[in-house]
Amino acid sequence: MMHAETAPPGAAAPVFYQTDEEGHHSEGSTMLGFWLYLMSDCLIFATLFATYGVLGRSYAAGPTPKDLFDLSGIAVNTAMLLFSSITYGFAMLEMDRDRIKQTQIWLAVTGLFGVAFVFLEIREFVHLFHEGAPPWRSAFLSSFYTLVATHGLHVSVGILWLVILLVQLRKHGLIVENKRRLMCLSMFWHFLDLIWIGVFTVVYLMGVLE
Amino acid sequence: MSADAHHLSGHGQDTHDPHAHSEGGHGTVKGYVTGFVLSVILTVIPFWLVMGNVLDNSLVTTLVILALGGVQMVVHVVYFLHMSTKSEGGWTFMALIFTITLVAIMLSGSVWVMYHLNHNMMPMDAHDVMNNAR
């Protein structure tokens, strides 16, 4: 390798050309970069989980998870996210087949499931406030709202991103750039579903169990 | 993997752009449905265990639902995020392993240290005072 690149004495200075086209290489590195972002996001959630793990039993004589959480509501929430995951998967498959109409429909369905999830979560928070369980009531509730709302905020941002991509699809169609963006959002969306598994297991199920 | 994927989902004709499908594949109908069914099963069981009070021992239930949650996370990573040891030349997998290591240290370390801190530093509450008085 090395001696092939060594210019003979007296030769003109070598000229370098960029042989890779922009579009080709960027897909792979974008995916890797986005994956690294997700891993750093994962660390954010890990710190919030650790905080909840430490403070989650400090009720300050206030309400406990058993008093507050309605597991059947959480099961519905979980179902919303799970459905949205598979519908996003279908959108990606239609994108592979270059069928823009179906892609848009499945993305819209995904968005609606996401909206339903966020709506149910906000309704739960409002209900908790009425029950006398605002974030400032106890360390348990502070860490609970921080963790769950951070996840909810991520989902909300995901929905916003989805709407923006639907506009992009409408304007430019299934071009390479839009496909790449859709793949990034796909990873983001499935990642949020993965975090939710941790939330419903550690916060809701284990909370009610104790 | 990619070639199989296209056969299974029955659309092998769009091979004009090999780069778009070369890495990370976007999965197949079969893959997504498998992941979905497994996820549903792995979600329903823990909810059933807790809501139905199936096991008397809450420690056993805790361990079981944590294990099921862990398995479901792996299912998501494999079937929805299409993660494998080979995607992006193995770099995503390396990043994942690194992150899991950090997360494990952070979670277990925090809980462990703070548990002992609470245990050793907690001011005595009424219950302890009574026990000490005896």
Side-chain angles (χ1 to χ4, degrees):
Chain A
M1 250 339 247
M2 277 313 288
H3 38 262
E5 285 168 9
T6 309
V15 182
F16 296 102
Y17 297 98
Q18 191 180 359
T19 50
D20 268 333
E21 284 172 51
E22 287 276 310
H24 273 282
H25 228 75
S26 66
E27 187 178 355
S29 52
T30 301
M31 288 306 126
L32 178 58
F34 197 76
W35 180 261
L36 293 181
Y37 155 68
L38 288 183
M39 291 299 101
S40 67
D41 218 9
C42 196
L43 293 181
I44 291 180
F45 280 108
T47 56
L48 295 178
F49 271 109
T51 311
Y52 183 83
V54 169
L55 299 175
R57 297 282 175 269
S58 309
Y59 306 126
T64 65
K66 222 173 193 156
D67 306 327
L68 295 174
F69 296 154
D70 164 35
L71 281 188
S72 46
I74 300 308
V76 175
N77 250 358
T78 307
M80 289 300 125
L81 266 199
L82 206 50
F83 280 128
S84 79
S85 260
I86 193 169
T87 54
Y88 202 112
F90 290 153
M92 293 302 283
L93 294 174
E94 295 297 347
M95 182 195 87
D96 272 358
R97 295 181 211 178
D98 283 318
R99 299 211 293 219
I100 184 162
K101 197 81 215 157
Q102 282 86 340
T103 309
Q104 286 168 320
I105 291 171
W106 282 120
L107 284 176
V109 173
T110 307
L112 288 179
F113 277 126
V115 169
F117 174 84
V118 173
F119 171 77
L120 288 172
E121 190 160 74
I122 290 173
R123 212 182 57 169
E124 190 209 357
F125 284 178
V126 170
H127 172 72
L128 290 183
F129 267 71
H130 284 302
E131 294 271 296
W136 51 88
R137 179 63 189 82
S138 64
F140 148 62
L141 285 165
S142 304
S143 56
F144 162 78
Y145 279 102
T146 311
L147 172 58
V148 179
T150 302
H151 178 269
L153 199 63
H154 272 76
V155 177
S156 309
V157 171
I159 295 169
L160 180 67
W161 188 358
L162 192 97
V163 171
I164 291 170
L165 282 187
L166 278 174
V167 173
Q168 295 264 32
L169 276 182
R170 203 184 163 82
K171 277 186 88 165
H172 305 292
L174 278 172
I175 53 175
V176 178
E177 287 83 357
N178 277 345
K179 285 187 174 182
R180 192 177 63 224
R181 290 161 188 156
L182 282 171
M183 278 177 66
C184 285
L185 179 56
S186 160
M187 291 164 80
F188 186 69
W189 198 266
H190 293 308
F191 168 75
L192 290 180
D193 199 6
L194 189 150
I195 296 294
W196 181 252
I197 300 169
V199 174
F200 80 70
T201 305
V202 173
V203 176
Y204 290 102
L205 292 180
M206 279 170 64
V208 172
L209 202 62
E210 208 256 340
Chain B
M1 190 239 132
S2 195
D4 282 349
H6 288 289
H7 275 292
L8 284 171
S9 53
H11 56 102
Q13 78 278 14
D14 53 351
T15 47
H16 54 273
D17 186 6
H19 274 277
H21 306 289
S22 58
E23 276 189 289
H26 308 161
T28 61
V29 175
K30 200 179 152 209
Y32 278 112
V33 172
T34 310
F36 180 74
V37 171
L38 284 175
S39 296
V40 169
I41 294 169
L42 290 167
T43 303
V44 168
I45 293 175
F47 271 92
W48 170 68
L49 285 178
V50 174
M51 290 172 83
N53 258 326
V54 180
L55 303 172
D56 289 333
N57 191 334
S58 71
L59 178 67
V60 175
T61 313
T62 304
L63 292 177
V64 170
I65 62 174
L66 279 177
L68 290 173
V71 173
Q72 197 184 343
M73 284 183 178
V74 174
V75 167
H76 275 242
V77 168
V78 172
Y79 288 100
F80 291 157
L81 286 166
H82 309 303
M83 183 63 194
S84 75
T85 50
K86 290 185 188 65
S87 44
E88 310 293 348
W91 285 107
T92 51
F93 188 70
M94 294 292 278
L96 180 68
I97 296 297
F98 178 60
T99 310
I100 291 172
T101 311
L102 280 185
V103 168
I105 294 171
M106 190 155 31
L107 286 178
S108 57
S110 303
V111 173
W112 181 44
V113 168
M114 294 309 286
Y115 173 79
H116 282 276
L117 185 101
N118 279 341
H119 193 75
N120 293 326
M121 302 293 285
M122 193 75 92
M124 286 193 291
D125 59 22
H127 182 73
D128 289 329
V129 172
M130 265 167 47
N131 278 350
N132 286 357
R134 253 181 230 157

